Amino acid sequence: MDLSVTLSGLKLQNPVIPASGCFGFGQEYLPYYDINMLGSFSFKGTTLAPRFGNELPRVAECAAGMLNSVGLQNPGIEKVIAEELPRLRAHFHQPLIANISGFSIEEYTACCKKMAACEQVGLVELNISCPNVHGGGLAFGADAHSAAAVTAACKKVCAKPLYVKLSPNVTDIAEIACACEAAGADGLSLINTLLGMRLDLKTRKPILANGMGGLSGPAVFPVALRMVWQTYQRVKIPIIGMGGVACARDVIEMMLAGAAAVQVGATNLVNPMVCKEIIEDLPGVMKELGILRLQEIVGAAH
Amino acid sequence: MIFVINENRPVAKEVFRMVLRAAIANEEVRLRPGQFVNIAVEGCYLRRPISVCDWDARTQTLTLLYKTVGTGTRALARCVPGTSLDLLTGLGNGYTPVEARRPALLGGGVGTPPLYFLAKELAGAGQKPVAVLGFNTKDEMFYHEEFATLCDVIVTTADGSYGQKGFVTDALPGLAYDALYVCGPEPMLQAVFAQARALPAGHAQFSFERRMGCGFGACMVCSCKTTAGYKRICKDGPILTKEEILWT
């Protein structure tokens, strides 16, 4: 049984990838399992300068998911390269996905260049879809022109495959996907979180200090699946599918819709062992469904 | 890790005591006073963090005291003995016991449970702790007798219906303490902090509470600014020393 998948020439031992923002820089998961079994992982969204992020509270809950408004807290790219990546080297020997974000095209390209130069980084994931920061992130991902502009600028300086992480908070995600592909993106990651809100009934105010936040968890899975499906029909480049994936069957479903690999986000936070469990469950589910090579089912639903 | 509920019943107004036992004995589980467990609750997406009131490694028995404040804790309160719960254990930094003759343990409301575990450990190490437990009213009070088996206890109630009338901080000036361990609502922490300035570094430790996501340091939703940079309350806390605290 073959679980391996390929992303723009990069071979992964399996398609299971913890999503950015839900896995830090890997250290917190070391007590729970050997993270080297993962296909890859997309580390915490990194910006040029260190960021604290938004005020607290920055988490809320709903029936089948959660909202966060962290706002890209990270130690800054220099510290990530000088401290986090070397620390990870002892525990993780698979290609990493470097998730980067910025507030200007210059910041994106600077981060992109630095990350692509790191030997441990297999591909760069351009986050143009963070719903929790102003003037950055989603500001670039909300329309096709700005998405294409930042993609083209980063492609010029990126020595590794460049994937663009798209927002679901748009009218037509496939249109933006097409623009990124035309601008030179090697692949796409979708979806980022959906903008949502919860109110505190006693204070009559939003629970999140930032007002709104990004919804993730099983609640968003059908939305994510639909967007992967629609995008797959419009682009030729590989798609990393994510949004509410919680078990091996969800991984298969995402791949059938068109995902070449699958990221797991919020579920890591409620079950730190979930990626290990998914990887261990996959062969059994494949056997049951008559799948010999996982790679063969990508887009099979179309 | 799976635990089975042995007991789950109210000990005061809206406060429950849950006693659990590890389904499979695990010698590697280490729990320190001030740490917490994160409980998967049926019907809730996120786990619920609850501080450890007691842990007996020999019998693998865990005691939790919690207040029913929302959907998660109300669901916990409905769990009957025999129910299995999935817990992440050993979370947070916990208190760091320091050399002291007379440590004072200050608890407010459901902030008192972790101090029971701490009192047990400090008394076991030959120290003579004094616990000051503050509640709003008598019917919200719990664990006076249990603390009394371990150390001297002063109970205060805001309305004077039990023990001394007033707040924990009203009892503090009369005590000759040389270390402080605090857990309670933030205004109480601030009031104690103001009285703790003279203590040596590391001798005043405060437990903080924030809305958490994962509870083990991955999601960054509970970060706070401290004098030592950003700290995750779930992983680098919940205990901060007075030297680290930045009030915002």
Side-chain angles (χ1 to χ4, degrees), chain B residues 214-233:
Chain B
C214 63
F216 54 90
C219 72
M220 317 299 278
V221 304
C222 64
S223 296
C224 284
K225 291 170 184 166
T226 75
T227 59
Y230 306 148
K231 292 205 173 219
R232 298 159 294 184
I233 290 301

Side-chain angles (χ1 to χ4, degrees), chain A residues 200-212:
Chain A
D200 181 318
L201 300 187
K202 283 182 189 152
T203 64
R204 302 183 173 186
K205 295 279 186 287
I207 291 174
L208 299 170
N210 210 34
M212 295 177 280

